[in-house]
Amino acid sequence: MKKRLASLLLGLSLLGGGAAVWAQAPAATPAAPAAVATTAPAEAKPDAAAPPAAPATTAPAVAAPAAAAAPAPVPNKGDTGWMMLSTILVLLMVLPGLALFYGGLVRSKNMLSVLMHVMVTFSLIVVLWFIYGYSLAFTEGNAVIGGFDRLFMKGIWDNTAGTFANAATFSKGVVIPELVFAAFQATFAGITCALIVGAFAERAKFSAVLLFMVIWFTFSYLPMAHMVWFWMGPDAYTGKEVVDAMNAKAGYLWQSGALDFAGGTVVHINAAVAGLVGAYMVGKRIGYGKEAMAPHSLTLTMVGASLLWVGWFGFNAGSALEANGFAALAFINTLGATAAAVLAWSLGEALMKGKASMLGAASGAVAGLVAITPAAGNVGIGGGLVIGFIAGLACLWGVHGLKKLLGADDSLDVFGVHGVGGIVGALLTGVFNSPALGGPGFVADWVTASSIAAADYSIVSQLWIQAKAVLITLVWSGVVSLIAYKVVDLTVGLRVSEEDEREGLDITSHGETAYNR
């Protein structure tokens, strides 16, 4: 077992070394800037909104001959600085935010194992992202997956000439360095996979976790990211005659008009389904339902939840890809919706049990953050507050009611919070995106960057588009997860021995303890 794990890590190290060398080699013909990700609003005009049923194109497109002499767009230092800060904030969400949030929820004998699962999973995915993940998610391929133009980050910069490729944003003529965009999206991929470990905490093999993540990241995260977030960027829409061709190059769900500002489907529902399937496949913890398995440190859980909230401003507001009005809208919705969810969960808990708990307040905060993720820049402030409040109550039911119905030992309620919250947020985005309800609507014409008129917005139609995106995510992640867990079980095995589980994974898997015993 240890030899297999050592071989896996050695292989990744060698690949990483090769990636570094390859990435430095100047490309003969630099690839077009990466496709814009994240389903944020288009900012071709100050009040433009989120992606339309007709998607857009990536990277600064080659203009018509008449415009050939026009100077190439230059990244704005403010936008670049904001995106670098946002990337750091998302890293803060994972390390230490998510790690401490999860760590406080398990028993003390498994504290370090959870920290290891989160930290090493995140690191593994970041390395894989720069080797092949970014290319498959954000370069042109087909409607489901991208290509290999950016394999090993090839062509992203020319070290000889000292020039850097740019990535499109959601405004015509506005770009950011592609290196920054790639780094920002790397943190998204990393935290998505790290979320999954909470579902089978306290009994999964460390080697099994890492092998599963490699498979799931490759066949579930990357296709979902491409389907939802890849398009050709606003500058590719040079005239009505190219619209159909540019739309056809986008990801399937972008083409369908699905709105997902920062990852309700790609991140939360995707990870939650993988976690739920894992909870079934790995099985229940020994003594589950019979022995006390209370969190060992709600103090750490509260600290972790607070760091998640702080970091989430980069997660959501950074998904605008610019320091602009839509980043500000996502910023304030991340504040308001989360606060509303804390109040809703606490109120619901008080009505159910007679007391509101710290664990409930922290869980409510995460529920609100999850639900507002797809809606952050796609709804007005009032809509954000409503989404947060509904999510707080819905996730409370997900943790206490739905969990019993499903019968799975989802250790840290990954599906109850991220699955239920992600579904609520994705669906309600279609409702509160409506201009009649204070939302910005979406861009209806990327040639002129004009938004849909309030009278033309159909809540029913958009709600159906959102529901299709949710269903596709549920099925896609479910099937990939089932196959991935089975492969892992047949190779290295999913679960530690009963003796190791009873002693605790800190000692048996890592030879350490979080606390003196």
Side-chain angles (χ1 to χ4, degrees), residues 26-275:
T29 306
V36 173
T38 175
T39 60
E43 186 81 7
K45 66 175 189 176
D47 59 347
T57 133
T58 87
V62 178
V74 176
N76 176 275
K77 291 183 179 180
D79 292 335
T80 301
W82 166 239
M83 291 308 301
M84 293 173 72
L85 175 60
S86 294
T87 302
I88 294 171
L89 287 172
V90 180
L91 175 60
L92 178 72
M93 290 172 62
V94 195
L95 306 169
L98 181 66
L100 291 179
F101 179 75
Y102 275 177
L105 291 174
V106 299
R107 291 168 288 183
S108 60
K109 63 183 179 180
N110 295 311
M111 171 66 168
L112 291 182
S113 74
V114 170
L115 299 184
M116 278 291 287
H117 285 184
V118 172
M119 186 170 194
V120 179
T121 290
F122 180 82
S123 301
L124 170 66
I125 297 307
V126 167
V127 170
L128 295 180
W129 181 257
F130 292 133
I131 294 173
Y132 66 87
Y134 176 68
S135 187
L136 290 177
F138 291 112
T139 65
E140 188 178 334
N142 55 50
V144 174
I145 196 70
F148 295 105
D149 289 347
R150 285 289 190 251
L151 192 65
F152 290 97
M153 306 305 289
K154 177 180 59 177
I156 204 166
W157 76 296
D158 186 331
N159 63 305
T160 302
T163 57
F164 297 81
N166 292 321
T169 64
F170 295 95
S171 301
K172 287 180 178 288
V174 179
V175 296
I176 58 175
E178 190 177 350
L179 285 170
V180 175
F181 176 73
F184 181 66
Q185 286 297 331
T187 60
F188 273 57
I191 194 173
T192 302
C193 293
L195 289 173
I196 301 170
V197 307
F200 44 68
E202 301 195 294
R203 74 265 201 199
K205 287 184 179 180
F206 185 53
S207 56
V209 172
L210 298 184
L211 181 55
F212 169 79
M213 293 304 172
V214 172
I215 300 171
W216 187 85
F217 164 74
T218 304
F219 296 102
S220 189
Y221 183 83
L222 296 180
M224 286 305 309
H226 185 82
M227 284 193 282
V228 173
W229 285 336
F230 179 80
W231 64 313
M232 297 303 290
D235 290 327
Y237 287 75
T238 55
K240 294 189 180 299
E241 68 279 0
V242 304
V243 169
D244 289 342
M246 294 301 103
N247 289 348
K249 295 180 179 182
Y252 174 73
L253 289 173
W254 183 287
Q255 292 185 45
S256 301
L259 303 175
D260 188 350
F261 194 86
T265 52
V266 180
V267 176
H268 297 292
I269 300 174
N270 203 10
V273 173

Side-chain angles (χ1 to χ4, degrees), residues 4 7 20 48 53 66 68 94 103 117 124 174 207 218 253 283 329 350 356 378 386 404 468 486:
R4 289 196 187 104
S7 298
V94 195
H117 285 184
L124 170 66
V174 179
S207 56
T218 304
L253 289 173
L329 179 61
N378 288 330
V386 174
K404 292 180 180 178
K468 285 194 297 183
K486 194 64 180 176

Side-chain angles (χ1 to χ4, degrees), residues 444-463:
D445 182 355
W446 278 105
V447 177
T448 60
S450 56
S451 298
I452 187 170
D456 295 330
Y457 190 97
S458 170
I459 292 177
V460 173
S461 297
Q462 191 60 44
L463 188 58

Side-chain angles (χ1 to χ4, degrees), residues 480-501:
V480 171
S481 299
L482 184 63
I483 295 172
Y485 283 117
K486 194 64 180 176
V487 170
V488 174
D489 193 29
L490 293 173
T491 51
V492 301
L494 286 171
R495 188 167 181 152
V496 299
S497 67
E498 180 176 344
E499 180 182 349
D500 287 353
E501 185 176 340

Side-chain angles (χ1 to χ4, degrees), residues 414-428:
V414 176
F415 191 82
V417 174
H418 295 273
V420 173
I423 292 170
V424 168
L427 294 178
L428 292 182

